[in-house]
Amino acid sequence: MAIPRVTALQRAAASMVRAPLAQVVISIAAIGLITILMLQQQDVIHSATAALIYMLVVLLSAMRFGHHASLSGALLASLAFSYFFVPPYGGFALTSLESGVRLGVFLSVALLVSGLASAARRQALIAERRTSELSALYQLSQALSAELTQERIPPIVARMTPQILAVPACQVLLAEAGDAPPPPDLAGDYEDVPLYAEQRQIGVLRVRRPVTGIPYNASEHELLATIAAQVSLVIERVRLSEMAGQARALAESDRLKSTLLSLVSHDLRTPLAVIKGLATSLLDPAVLWSDAQRRELLDTISVETDRLNRIVGDLLEMSQIEAGAIPQSRSLHDLDELIGTVAGELATRHPGTQLILGVPDDLPWVRISYGQIEHVLRNLLENAAAYAPVGSLIEVAAQVEGQQIRVEVRDRGPGVPDALRERIFEKFVRAAAAERHAAGTGLGLAICKGLVEAHGGAIWVEARPGGGAVFAFTLPVASRQITPPRAGIA
């Protein structure tokens, strides 16, 4: 029990030392100055007037400097009032009961005024400090709430806590996962407040004490506990957010792994099985194939090989896009010519498809990778031909919009459901049932998005009035100053 008594005495002594001597001197000097001024006008200054003037000075001193300075001024004012303005003038002898009562009332009122004014000033200072603390706590809360990583929290707390408490220094010490919290400071230089998250101590908020060995008072410790609670909540929120992010990443990884396994087991296996079966049949000496039959089987092997090659190419291209390793070679090209070439190839592969081109001849040139944008157009047209009813129209249109060219592929297929429009360009996301696209990998639109965005454009899908879908993408127009004449087209 001896330690708390010593601590209380030390705190009281420290409080007296902190009372500024200059404030006491100024209060006493003000009483002295007003006394000199009143003595110069003593023939018109009566004792009642002098008492009021002294009271005013004591009140102003209490309001400006506080209790210690105003108490010194009140005592000096009582002595000066008794000596100069209470008979017999120039002495302290009390010649009558009235003189004693007058001096006693003056001293009591002076002390009362000093005490009340000092108390009001103290309450105003406390309210101002509370307001400042609340504002600082709010700023700390706002600064912490915006953080999403645990590593950025300690520097913010270490920077803002000294501003809130006016302490020399502060630091946040966090324990590693599974480790014990940091040991307490035995030297008495710091005040430690524990930090808790997930119902266990994860560290301490360590604040340097202004005076070694003297802990913070109850009010200051309560403020420290509030800061520690805010830090604990933010750390717990960040950790839970990181755990949720890891869980989502694991779930997405599992989904992609399952989808990739499904792709490998079906989309890769099917052409391999066809190729293996046909090659085995051709090699069987017991079967005699005619030239026409052998040609037909070889054509089928070639088609399935191309299909297998496209699947592997899509996987490799998707990996390049995700790794940011897309080839960046660009040159000026005529988009009108590119669209016409891809549309002609589609008409050859799908004879029953009706294509309508709405592409003006005077489209500006674009700086692109010809093969990459050709891949985008081919994917969009192949999708339209695969999903649209046989014999329906597929339209390809292009037009200039500001400094961009907008290209649209319009079909009359089943369209893209509203719930899938934001996700249709993600990997392995398909718009129709599995039986409608058994030959697809679910990577085509994701590849289109990566290639278009690598060119500085955008791609999206819209519902087509009357049914169907409109896949649109934009490409920036090349500078007119460097656009070559169309006569130079090879």
Side-chain angles (χ1 to χ4, degrees), residues 436-455:
R436 292 292 304 276
H437 55 268
T441 63
L443 293 175
L445 291 179
I447 292 172
C448 291
K449 182 176 186 293
L451 295 178
V452 169
E453 290 181 350
H455 282 76

Side-chain angles (χ1 to χ4, degrees), residues 63-140:
M63 293 174 61
R64 182 64 182 85
F65 301 123
H67 182 65
H68 293 90
S70 64
L71 181 61
S72 302
L75 293 175
L76 181 60
S78 299
L79 294 176
F81 178 71
S82 175
Y83 189 87
F84 293 109
F85 297 99
V86 176
Y89 302 108
F92 291 105
L94 301 178
T95 57
S96 64
L97 179 61
E98 181 183 359
S99 299
V101 171
R102 183 182 299 148
L103 178 61
V105 170
F106 177 83
L107 180 60
S108 300
V109 172
L111 294 177
L112 180 62
V113 167
S114 172
L116 291 175
S118 299
R121 178 178 180 273
R122 186 164 54 252
Q123 292 298 324
L125 291 177
I126 291 174
E128 182 180 357
R129 186 174 69 250
R130 290 294 185 191
T131 302
S132 177
E133 290 172 354
L134 289 175
S135 176
L137 285 173
Y138 175 75
Q139 293 177 8
L140 175 63

Side-chain angles (χ1 to χ4, degrees), residues 131-482:
T131 302
S132 177
E133 290 172 354
L134 289 175
S135 176
L137 285 173
Y138 175 75
Q139 293 177 8
L140 175 63
S141 175
Q142 292 295 103
L144 292 177
S145 64
E147 294 303 326
L148 298 177
T149 58
Q150 183 174 302
E151 291 74 17
R152 292 175 56 88
I153 295 175
I156 294 176
V157 178
R159 185 182 72 251
M160 299 190 69
T161 299
Q163 301 174 9
I164 299 174
L165 272 173
V167 295
C170 169
Q171 54 184 328
V172 176
L173 303 178
L174 299 176
E176 297 294 333
D179 294 345
D185 173 53
L186 301 178
D189 295 330
Y190 295 92
E191 187 95 5
D192 286 350
V193 183
L195 302 174
Y196 292 95
E198 301 172 6
Q199 299 181 346
R200 64 181 181 86
Q201 185 175 351
I202 59 170
V204 294
L205 175 67
R206 180 164 289 178
V207 182
R208 178 178 285 276
R209 293 168 175 168
V211 181
T212 301
I214 301 180
Y216 288 99
N217 58 34
S219 175
E220 293 167 335
H221 200 276
E222 180 182 357
L223 191 57
L224 276 175
T226 302
I227 296 174
Q230 281 194 4
V231 176
S232 298
L233 287 174
V234 172
I235 291 177
E236 185 170 14
R237 174 183 60 80
V238 169
R239 289 188 172 183
L240 290 176
S241 176
E242 290 177 351
M243 291 172 60
Q246 292 173 359
R248 287 194 298 270
L250 287 174
E252 179 65 13
S253 176
D254 288 341
R255 185 186 72 83
L256 292 178
K257 181 174 66 175
S258 299
T259 307
L260 185 58
L261 288 175
S262 174
L263 172 69
V264 171
S265 64
H266 183 273
D267 292 338
L268 292 178
R269 200 172 181 181
T270 299
L272 283 174
V274 173
I275 294 170
K276 176 65 176 176
L278 295 179
T280 302
S281 299
L282 288 172
L283 293 173
D284 188 355
V287 180
L288 298 177
W289 302 99
S290 64
D291 290 342
Q293 290 174 327
R294 187 177 290 107
R295 178 70 182 179
E296 182 180 356
L297 294 179
L298 290 174
D299 286 342
T300 304
I301 290 176
S302 177
V303 170
E304 293 300 325
T305 303
D306 291 341
R307 175 182 169 191
L308 186 61
N309 186 58
R310 283 197 303 272
I311 294 174
V312 175
D314 284 348
L315 290 172
L316 292 176
E317 192 157 19
M318 194 70 240
S319 67
Q320 284 184 331
I321 291 173
E322 291 185 331
I326 304 175
Q328 297 296 318
S329 58
R330 306 280 190 269
S331 57
L332 291 172
H333 290 282
D334 182 3
L335 197 58
D336 178 16
E337 178 188 357
L338 191 155
I339 293 173
T341 300
V342 176
E345 293 176 359
L346 181 74
T348 302
R349 289 192 300 272
H350 301 273
T353 302
Q354 300 185 53
L355 275 175
I356 297 179
L357 299 183
V359 181
D361 296 331
D362 57 347
L363 278 179
W365 287 59
V366 287
R367 184 176 292 278
I368 58 173
S369 169
Y370 190 94
Q372 292 174 5
I373 300 304
E374 181 185 31
H375 193 171
V376 172
L377 278 167
R378 183 179 292 113
N379 269 341
L380 295 180
L381 286 172
E382 289 285 354
N383 278 352
Y387 286 96
V390 177
S392 63
L393 293 177
I394 297 176
E395 300 178 24
V396 182
Q399 61 183 12
V400 178
E401 292 185 349
Q403 295 301 310
Q404 294 182 325
I405 295 180
R406 171 172 172 155
V407 181
E408 293 184 352
V409 177
R410 309 164 186 158
D411 63 55
R412 288 298 181 186
V416 179
D418 294 344
L420 280 180
R421 284 182 192 161
E422 296 296 327
R423 299 182 55 241
I424 194 64
F425 293 96
E426 296 179 8
K427 293 181 298 183
F428 307 121
V429 175
R430 294 164 170 174
E435 61 272 11
R436 292 292 304 276
H437 55 268
T441 63
L443 293 175
L445 291 179
I447 292 172
C448 291
K449 182 176 186 293
L451 295 178
V452 169
E453 290 181 350
H455 282 76
I459 186 169
W460 66 95
V461 61
E462 301 172 352
R464 187 179 184 187
V470 177
F471 283 87
F473 66 91
T474 58
L475 294 171
V477 175
S479 173
R480 295 184 183 277
Q481 286 76 9
I482 61 174

